[in-house]
């Protein structure tokens, strides 16, 4: 089932896309077969490829037209010489570059036409559709023996719908072929596979927006363990800027139904959510779980959500009836076991991802903290990784919270885990040339934090000898336990 992650921002450094993934492919274990087909092997050579995007890039003089690209993998890792960039001016790609199109505003992948090659799905939320400004659209670039080539339009939106701002892929009807969800500011469209090469889906559904909510992020995974993927959505809840809700739409024989259900907390009210959501298995049961990042703080809801200070993370375990809001856990950087100190505008939770980084069957939750100061460097940013256990993320003790969820007790005189940024290398990290190749025994002590920081020219910038790292948060798309975002991403592969 699919896993979803990561948050806000628009900058992409193409050179970083290659640098971050410079781990030898021979040292990485082969990715497990995906029931949805190849996820990021666009040329079918058996090696995972890396897709990247720059939705704010200028193309042919049009500011913010945007582009996407792919760097192909090999037995020695990503090939710098094999990068290709695609714009709406490229041969076979639908549309034309226009200012503000934001082509690449979201990216994901799946084998939509079932030909054995992964295809790249691209959102362009600012796309002008006819005379409809910023209607947005969703495009597919087809994979094949030579890699990505040609494409088709999958969805187009109405005026100012911003369709393609968020994307999710899952098998919502359980037929073994991937389906696509395209989301805009208030619109949700589901397309059921398989797809023809003209981009025509087997079926199309628009999910009604009965309460005029405003979408903030989407993700997909099997939340109730029935073998079909479900849709998870975080949205603005009501007229308050900082009010958030978490909603789910369950898959069925006919795909996604017409209704989304709000996740409730212990108090019977909507569980407060955030702006970013990821789906994955943290507690190693048969149900996918939710990780919701809420980076916004400093608003009215802080009175009821004290852990919103500096940003917070909410973990919601899955169950036979879907997400179990009454068992939710919430934490911030003042919570036991979480390094750092909660400070206004740290933006803890601005990106989230779930993946099993140590191969123990339990998914870790990676949390981006782009506003974190590192020494004298303001807003250098950082990454926190919380290991998963049968009880959820480690270091959490449930107590009642005003939001209707559970939260750790207030911080006292508790030791803080060491950060890599404090000394350049934590004693908890194995001194290995290739971290991804380190044994499970070596990596077991890496709890509960993997964090690094750096900027161009910063001597503290970690190399590939260290664990996966966040810098300018460009958006990347990878295979295996993928980590991706509509506007940011941070590691190339969850490598067990």
């Amino acid at each position: 089932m699919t896993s979803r992650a990561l948050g806000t921002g628009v900058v992409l450094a193409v050179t970083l896309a290659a640098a971050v993934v410079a781990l030898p492919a021979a040292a990485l274990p082969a990715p497990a077969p995906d029931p949805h087909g190849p996820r990021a092997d666009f040329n079918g050579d058996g090696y995972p490829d890396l897709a990247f995007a720059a939705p704010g890039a200028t193309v042919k003089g049009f500011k913010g037209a945007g582009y996407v690209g792919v760097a192909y993998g090999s037995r020695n890792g990503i090939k710098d010489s094999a990068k290709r960039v695609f714009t709406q001016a490229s041969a076979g790609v639908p549309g034309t570059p226009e200012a503000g199109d934001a082509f690449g505003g979201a990216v994901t992948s799946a084998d939509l036409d079932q030909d054995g090659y992964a295809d790249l799905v691209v959102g362009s939320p600012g796309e002008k559709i006819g005379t409809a400004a910023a209607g947005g659209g969703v495009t597919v670039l087809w994979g094949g023996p030579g890699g990505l080539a040609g494409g088709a339009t999958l969805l187009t939106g109405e005026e100012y719908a911003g369709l393609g701002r968020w994307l999710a892929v899952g098998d919502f009807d359980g037929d073994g072929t991937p389906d696509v969800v395209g989301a805009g500011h208030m619109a949700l469209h589901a397309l059921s596979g398989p797809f023809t090469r003209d981009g025509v889906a087997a079926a199309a559904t628009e999910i009604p927006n009965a309460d005029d909510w405003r979408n903030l992020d989407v993700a997909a995974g099997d939340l109730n363990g029935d073998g079909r993927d479900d849709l998870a959505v975080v949205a603005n809840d009501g007229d308050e800027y900082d009010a958030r809700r978490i909603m789910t739409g369950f898959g069925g024989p006919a795909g996604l139904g017409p209704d989304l259900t709000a996740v409730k907390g212990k108090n019977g009210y909507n569980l407060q959510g955030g702006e970013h959501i990821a789906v994955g298995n943290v507690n190693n049961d048969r149900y996918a779980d939710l990780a919701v990042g809420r980076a916004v703080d400093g608003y009215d809801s802080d009175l009821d959500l004290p852990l919103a200070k500096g940003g917070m993370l909410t973990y919601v375990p899955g169950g036979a009836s879907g997400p179990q809001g009454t068992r939710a856990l919430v934490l911030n950087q003042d919570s036991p076991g979480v390094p750092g100190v909660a400070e206004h505008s740290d933006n803890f939770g601005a990106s989230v991802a779930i993946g099993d980084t140590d191969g123990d069957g339990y998914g870790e939750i990676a949390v981006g903290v782009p506003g974190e100061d590192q020494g004298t460097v303001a807003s250098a940013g950082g990454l926190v990784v919380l290991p998963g256990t049968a009880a959820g993320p480690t270091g959490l003790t449930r107590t009642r919270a005003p939001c209707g969820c559970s939260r750790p007790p207030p911080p006292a005189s508790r030791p803080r885990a060491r950060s890599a940024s404090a000394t350049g290398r934590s004693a908890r990290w194995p001194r290995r040339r290739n971290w991804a190749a380190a044994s499970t025994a070596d990596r077991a002590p890496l709890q509960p934090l993997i964090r690094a920081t750096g900027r161009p020219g910063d001597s503290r910038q970690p190399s590939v000898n260290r664990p996966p790292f966040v810098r300018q948060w460009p958006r990347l798309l990878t295979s295996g336990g993928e980590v991706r975002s509509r506007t940011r991403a941070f590691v190339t592969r969850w490598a067990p």
Side-chain angles (χ1 to χ4, degrees):
M1 303 307 172
T2 57
S3 176
R4 179 70 168 85
L6 296 185
T8 58
V10 293
V11 179
L12 173 75
V14 177
T15 53
L16 178 64
V20 173
V21 295
L23 297 176
L28 299 176
D34 192 313
H36 303 149
R39 291 303 306 273
D41 183 5
F42 301 113
N43 57 7
D45 63 358
Y47 299 103
D49 306 319
L50 173 68
F52 53 91
T58 299
V59 177
K60 292 187 175 296
F62 295 102
K63 186 177 181 180
Y67 66 76
V68 298
V70 60
Y72 293 104
S74 70
R75 64 178 299 175
N76 296 316
I78 294 295
K79 296 185 293 185
D80 291 347
S81 60
K83 292 194 292 284
R84 283 203 61 191
V85 169
F86 300 87
T87 74
Q88 288 184 298
S90 301
V93 178
T96 56
E98 297 170 308
D101 277 352
F103 185 71
V107 290
T108 187
S109 75
D111 183 10
L112 299 189
D113 58 356
Q114 297 290 279
D115 65 350
Y117 300 94
D119 310 307
L120 183 65
V121 185
V122 183
S124 49
E127 182 85 13
K128 184 178 181 180
I129 306 299
T131 60
V138 179
T139 300
V140 59
L141 303 183
W142 300 113
L148 295 177
T153 299
L154 300 180
L155 281 171
T156 57
E158 299 176 349
E159 189 168 26
Y160 301 117
L163 197 62
R165 184 69 179 86
W166 301 278
L167 298 171
V169 171
D171 185 7
F172 302 110
D173 53 15
D175 66 354
T177 62
D179 311 316
V180 175
V181 168
H185 303 302
M186 300 179 72
L188 281 171
H189 293 262
L191 301 176
S192 298
F195 294 76
T196 70
R197 296 285 289 194
D198 294 327
V200 179
T205 303
E206 180 175 4
I207 300 173
N209 186 334
D211 296 333
D212 291 333
W213 67 75
R214 292 174 293 285
N215 297 316
L216 297 171
D217 204 356
V218 298
D222 189 2
L223 302 171
N224 59 5
D226 67 352
R228 302 181 183 94
D229 280 332
D230 309 302
L231 182 67
V233 180
V234 284
N236 186 266
D237 188 5
D239 296 329
E240 290 289 336
Y241 168 75
D242 56 333
R244 304 285 185 258
R245 72 168 72 174
I246 306 169
M247 300 182 292
T248 55
F250 296 107
L256 289 173
D259 299 318
L260 296 181
T261 303
V263 177
K264 304 293 184 181
K266 284 184 177 180
N267 57 11
Y269 292 98
N270 290 348
L271 184 67
Q272 278 294 310
E275 303 82 40
H276 315 285
I277 191 167
V279 175
N281 199 329
V282 176
N283 58 8
N284 196 22
D285 61 9
R286 59 178 294 189
Y287 313 108
D289 310 315
L290 301 178
V292 181
R294 180 191 181 96
V296 167
D297 69 339
Y299 292 89
D300 291 346
S301 66
D302 288 10
L303 297 175
D304 295 325
L305 297 171
L307 290 180
K309 181 180 179 182
M312 73 182 196
L313 175 80
T314 300
Y315 163 74
V316 188
S321 59
Q324 305 296 294
T326 58
R327 297 173 53 205
L329 304 175
V330 61
L331 70 155
N332 69 358
Q333 286 189 286
D334 278 341
S335 300
V338 181
V341 177
E343 299 169 308
H344 178 62
S345 297
D346 274 354
N347 299 131
F348 180 81
S351 54
V352 288
I354 300 174
D356 183 5
T357 64
D358 56 11
D360 65 353
Y362 298 93
E364 282 68 61
I365 301 179
V367 186
V369 199
E372 183 91 336
D373 295 342
Q374 301 289 352
T376 60
V377 181
S379 299
L383 169 67
V384 172
V385 176
L386 298 169
T389 70
T394 57
L396 305 183
T397 303
R398 291 189 217 170
T399 61
R400 190 64 180 271
C403 60
C405 51
S406 301
R407 65 177 174 86
S413 56
R414 52 182 171 83
R416 295 195 179 276
R418 296 180 60 183
S419 165
S421 60
T423 60
R425 185 183 74 90
S426 169
R428 299 185 178 198
W429 289 0
R431 189 182 290 277
R432 291 291 187 111
R433 176 177 176 79
N434 185 345
W435 182 81
S439 69
T440 300
D442 284 334
R443 285 180 279 140
L446 300 179
Q447 302 180 23
L449 170 71
I450 299 169
R451 182 171 65 183
T453 182
R455 288 182 169 182
D458 187 344
S459 62
R460 294 174 301 163
Q461 179 172 328
S463 70
V464 295
N465 296 336
R466 294 183 181 168
F469 152 70
V470 181
R471 187 174 70 98
Q472 286 289 79
W473 311 81
R475 178 170 50 274
L476 311 175
L477 172 67
T478 63
S479 70
E482 71 173 350
V483 177
R484 58 182 172 75
S485 171
R486 61 179 186 275
T487 51
R488 294 183 183 177
F490 59 155
V491 299
T492 61
R493 187 167 181 267
W494 289 115

